[in-house]
Amino acid sequence: MQIMSECESDEDVPQLPADTLAALQEFYTDQAARDRQLQEAIQAQDVGKVDLEEDWNLSQFWYSDDTADALTREVLDVAGPSGSVACLSCPTLYKRLREVKPDTCRVVLLEYDRRFNIYGEDFVFYDFNSPLKFDQPLEGKSFDIVVADPPYLSDNCLTKTAITVKLLTKGKIMLCTGEKMEDLASRLLGVEPCTFIPQHTRNLGNEFRCYVNYKTGLS
């Protein structure tokens, strides 16, 4: 380890430009505000006010409002007012469903990001690397529709996610993933692309598609 000698001055130490320091300070200020908002919402048991930021380290990319609304309408139409929905790795959809679904409709979020445990019993910790392991009991074939948005565009991730999907669904499947995964998705889950194109709040480098294994008017 190199230690600064007594003869070295502060001018020898690299300094960040003023605009970079200002941007960094703004980031930390915004992050602190979001953390306070989260803690206040948890204490008030008002999770509807919580707006969690994407964690790019977990390959998280939130749906646009229009996409979340369109998928929510489709899922509720398929599940019905007394149905059940499992959301695998798609917290944006879960949050919108939670806001508008009837009380008689059950919606569960299976997600790796433990920040979402603020949703209580609706949250099930899920790691696609252990596709049959959950931190609370889930019965097989217990959901009218399973919606999955695997975090990574890889054969390994989709294959393991498909194991979970087939375990939980009564039959209906919706998959949102990259266009490049179409052939494998068809082989694993029997899904086909629909005309609806999911959009995200940030532009992604890969083309995304929505796939289903049932007749849909989603467009």
Side-chain angles (χ1 to χ4, degrees), residues 1-68:
M1 179 176 64
Q2 185 177 10
I3 301 176
M4 184 185 301
S5 66
E6 294 181 1
C7 63
E8 289 179 306
S9 69
D10 291 340
E11 295 179 355
D12 297 321
V13 180
Q15 300 291 323
L16 291 174
D19 57 344
T20 301
L21 285 171
L24 190 60
Q25 182 60 48
E26 182 180 3
F27 169 80
Y28 285 128
T29 300
D30 290 345
Q31 183 64 54
R34 288 192 294 268
D35 290 342
R36 285 196 303 272
Q37 180 191 45
L38 175 60
Q39 293 304 316
E40 290 170 359
I42 292 173
Q43 291 175 6
Q45 296 184 337
D46 188 5
V47 294
K49 294 182 178 179
V50 175
D51 187 18
L52 296 174
E53 294 289 313
E54 299 161 323
D55 186 339
W56 291 2
N57 291 325
L58 297 179
S59 190
Q60 290 178 340
F61 302 95
W62 295 164
Y63 298 141
S64 68
D65 288 342
D66 288 344
T67 291

Side-chain angles (χ1 to χ4, degrees), residues 154-208:
S154 70
D155 290 0
N156 176 59
C157 182
L158 179 55
T159 298
K160 291 179 177 177
T161 299
I163 294 173
T164 309
V165 171
K166 290 190 285 188
L167 170 71
L168 296 178
T169 186
K170 294 179 181 179
K172 302 289 179 62
I173 298 169
M174 177 186 291
L175 174 71
C176 294
T177 190
E179 189 175 51
K180 62 183 285 188
M181 307 305 295
E182 179 176 341
D183 289 343
L184 182 60
S186 178
R187 294 199 303 271
L188 292 173
L189 295 170
V191 293
E192 299 295 335
C194 57
T195 57
F196 179 76
I197 306 296
Q199 302 293 328
H200 298 79
T201 56
R202 302 177 190 273
N203 292 326
L204 304 185
N206 297 286
E207 294 295 327
F208 258 67

Side-chain angles (χ1 to χ4, degrees), residues 109-177:
L109 173 65
L110 289 87
E111 170 61 45
Y112 185 82
D113 186 350
R114 292 189 184 274
R115 292 181 300 167
F116 290 95
N117 64 12
I118 60 174
Y119 293 110
E121 293 182 355
D122 285 359
F123 173 81
V124 178
F125 177 75
Y126 173 67
D127 181 349
F128 73 85
N129 289 300
S130 301
L132 301 179
K133 183 179 179 181
F134 315 112
D135 67 348
Q136 60 175 285
L138 291 178
E139 295 183 7
K141 311 296 182 184
S142 58
F143 292 92
D144 293 293
I145 182 170
V146 175
V147 186
D149 189 339
Y152 302 106
L153 300 182
S154 70
D155 290 0
N156 176 59
C157 182
L158 179 55
T159 298
K160 291 179 177 177
T161 299
I163 294 173
T164 309
V165 171
K166 290 190 285 188
L167 170 71
L168 296 178
T169 186
K170 294 179 181 179
K172 302 289 179 62
I173 298 169
M174 177 186 291
L175 174 71
C176 294
T177 190

